[in-house]
Amino acid sequence: PPIVALSQHEPWRTKLHRSDMALWEVTGGANTGGLLVRSGEELGSSALPERLSPGAVVRELEANAGRLRYELVSGHGPRSGWVSLKLKDRSLLVRKEAAAPAAAAAAAAAAAAAAAAAA
């Protein structure tokens, strides 16, 4: 499915279909107890009481101007909210690379063949 612009006036704001949504891993916040999560996109929106823990994996719902709206996939923290992708020159989250379906299938087939040969 294609990416759909949310507004003709703001084409950089996109809404991704669920199958196209990227996964991100939290790499920042280790010294502060996790990443600060806000209720809205703006930096002035209210902070949620819980932080997003380092190592948590989130699904991208929307991205705009260095901010990410997410839903929690694994780890600890708010189920959803807005976080900053970077702080100064440090990345706070990194995009997880999804294994290509063909590569994953080939790896599974190789593992099955190796198991059968060992038996």
Side-chain angles (χ1 to χ4, degrees):
I3 295 174
V4 179
L6 293 178
S7 167
Q8 293 177 3
H9 304 291
E10 297 176 325
W12 61 88
R13 293 184 69 140
T14 58
K15 181 177 183 181
L16 301 175
H17 294 275
R18 184 172 282 291
S19 63
D20 295 333
M21 294 175 190
L23 294 179
W24 295 78
E25 183 174 351
V26 177
T27 56
N31 296 331
T32 59
L35 297 186
L36 181 67
V37 179
R38 295 193 177 274
S39 60
E41 179 180 356
E42 301 79 23
L43 291 173
S45 63
S46 61
L48 299 180
E50 190 177 6
R51 288 180 174 254
L52 190 57
S53 67
V57 175
V58 299
R59 178 172 286 113
E60 176 180 338
L61 300 178
E62 184 177 353
N64 185 34
R67 305 273 295 150
L68 179 76
R69 184 167 70 94
Y70 75 88
E71 70 179 355
L72 187 64
V73 174
S74 66
H76 300 284
R79 290 175 46 110
S80 65
W82 284 88
V83 292
S84 294
L85 292 171
K86 287 188 174 190
L87 179 62
K88 298 181 183 175
D89 62 343
R90 292 186 52 230
S91 294
L92 300 176
L93 297 100
V94 294
R95 181 171 278 179
K96 292 180 65 76
E97 296 297 325

